[in-house]
Amino acid sequence: MSIDVLIVDDDRGAGEEYARLVRRESGLDVTFTVSPNEALDLVRADLVKVAVLDQRIGATKGTDLFRQICEIDSRVRAVMFTGLASASEVGEALRQGYAEYLRKGDVAQLGAVVLAQYHRYQVEAASALLEHSPVTVLARKHGIPPWRRSVNYRLQRIEIVDENYTADNEWVTIASLQAGEVTKVTRTDSLKKSVTLERESQSKLATDLGLKPYELQSLSLALKGEISARVKSASTVELTSSVTEERTYQLPPEPSDPNQLHTKSRRIERAPVYNRIKVTLLSTCECCNLTAIVPVMLSQATGAMATRHVDVLSDGTVRAVDTGAERTN
C-alpha cells in the first residue's frame, strides 16, 4: 500500500471532502484520518510524503503532531491547512519546518499546493540518491587519436528553482478591447505535458562544451528518462490536453471627465506555466580525471495557463496586471 498524501482533520466530513478534492486535482494516493495516533503509525510505515494538518485536531495541535512526524521521518513535507490558527501559530509552524500555510477559505488551491509539495519531495529524494550514485547520461568521445578523449556526464542533482515560471516570449494575446467595448472569445487550449531542455541550456552546452546536435538530443532524452523514472510527478510523456471555452470580456467606457485617469485599451494575455528544474551534471575526463560542474535548466509543463491583462491608461502609462492561473486539464 502506498500513501502519497495524508490529511489529518478532526472534522470527518470536511476531511473526507478535502481528500477527494486533492485526489481529483492531483491524481495522487490520498488518505484521511481524524486520529493523530493513526497518522503517526502511517508515517512509521514509511508511506507518507506530504502531510496536510489542521492546527486543531481534538486536543492535539497540528504543530505538535508535525514535530512528532519529523522525529520519525524528517523528509515528510507538511502543509498547515486551517481556519483557526493565529498569526503566532502560523509563524511557529513555518519556523518549525512546515513547507506551506493555506487557509481553509482558499480550499480551491489545496490540490495545487499539495501537488507542488509532493513534487518537491520527489525531487529531493531523487537528489539524495544521486549524490551517492550519480548516473551517466552522456558518454562522449572526441578528438583525433592519440589525443582522443573520453568524457562522461553524470546526473548528480535535481532541484526545483521556480514552480510558476512563464517565458516572456510565450505570452499570447487572446483578446483586445477599447474603452466601452465588449468582446466574446472562443479559445481552445492544447498543451503538451512534457519535460524539455531549455534553448538557452542547449545553446550553452553547444558553445561551451562543443556538444553536437545528436549529442544534445541524446543528453536531452537521457535526462527526460531519468527524471521521469525518479520523479513520479514529472511525467515526460507528451500527453496533449485540449479544452474549449467561450468567455466574454468587457472594458468600462471612458468617463465623462476627460481628465479622470482611466483605461483606454486592454489586451488579455495567456501563457503556459512551467516548473523550472535545475539539473547539475558532473563531467569527468577519463584520460586526465579533470572534473567540472555543468548546470542545465529544464522546463516541465504543469497543465496550467497564467493570465494577465495589459492596460494602456489615458496618461500613456502601460500596466500589466497578473490575474492568476487557469487549469487546462
Side-chain angles (χ1 to χ4, degrees), residues 32-86:
F32 163 73
T33 181
V34 297
S35 168
N37 289 332
E38 183 181 358
L40 293 173
D41 288 340
L42 291 169
V43 175
R44 289 189 188 96
D46 196 26
L47 297 173
V48 178
K49 282 80 172 177
V50 180
V52 179
L53 309 176
D54 194 355
Q55 178 58 3
R56 302 284 189 272
I57 312 167
T60 303
K61 286 186 177 181
T63 44
D64 292 338
L65 176 59
F66 178 57
R67 185 164 50 249
Q68 293 175 285
I69 287 173
C70 288
E71 290 172 358
I72 300 169
D73 187 350
S74 61
R75 299 169 300 173
V76 176
R77 302 188 67 82
V79 177
M80 174 182 269
F81 182 56
T82 181
L84 298 175
S86 65

Side-chain angles (χ1 to χ4, degrees), residues 248-269:
T248 299
Y249 298 97
Q250 183 174 2
L251 192 60
E254 295 188 8
S256 56
D257 179 1
N259 295 318
Q260 181 180 336
L261 186 65
H262 62 278
T263 302
K264 292 184 67 68
S265 65
R266 172 172 293 172
R267 297 195 314 273
I268 311 297
E269 299 183 341

Side-chain angles (χ1 to χ4, degrees), residues 4-9 18 22 28 48-57 61-63 65-66 69-70 75-83 85 89-90 93-94 96-104 106-107 109-121 163:
D4 298 321
V5 182
L6 175 65
I7 297 176
V8 188
D9 194 303
Y18 302 148
V22 173
L28 300 174
V48 178
K49 282 80 172 177
V50 180
V52 179
L53 309 176
D54 194 355
Q55 178 58 3
R56 302 284 189 272
I57 312 167
K61 286 186 177 181
T63 44
L65 176 59
F66 178 57
I69 287 173
C70 288
R75 299 169 300 173
V76 176
R77 302 188 67 82
V79 177
M80 174 182 269
F81 182 56
T82 181
E89 287 175 321
V90 172
L94 296 176
Q96 189 175 315
Y98 270 78
E100 194 153 349
Y101 161 70
L102 184 68
R103 296 184 303 108
K104 287 189 174 180
D106 297 322
V107 63
Q109 301 175 29
L110 183 58
V113 167
V114 167
L115 186 58
Q117 294 305 325
Y118 176 79
H119 188 66
R120 284 195 172 274
Y121 178 98
E163 292 170 337

Side-chain angles (χ1 to χ4, degrees), residues 172-176 182-190 242-249 268 270 326:
V172 175
T173 299
I174 61 170
S176 296
V182 178
T183 187
K184 187 174 291 186
V185 175
T186 300
R187 61 171 180 79
T188 299
D189 289 325
S190 184
S242 296
V243 177
T244 300
E245 181 183 64
E246 184 176 84
R247 184 169 294 185
T248 299
Y249 298 97
I268 311 297
R270 305 172 85 246
E326 302 170 344

Side-chain angles (χ1 to χ4, degrees), residues 38 100 105 112 142 159 166 218-219 225 236 304 308 318 326:
E38 183 181 358
E100 194 153 349
H142 60 98
E159 58 184 311
T166 53
S218 178
L219 175 61
T236 61
R308 71 182 184 186
V318 178
E326 302 170 344

Side-chain angles (χ1 to χ4, degrees), residues 216-230:
L216 280 172
Q217 182 178 19
S218 178
L219 175 61
S220 180
L221 290 173
L223 289 174
K224 290 180 184 181
E226 286 296 329
I227 292 173
S228 178
R230 295 169 183 276

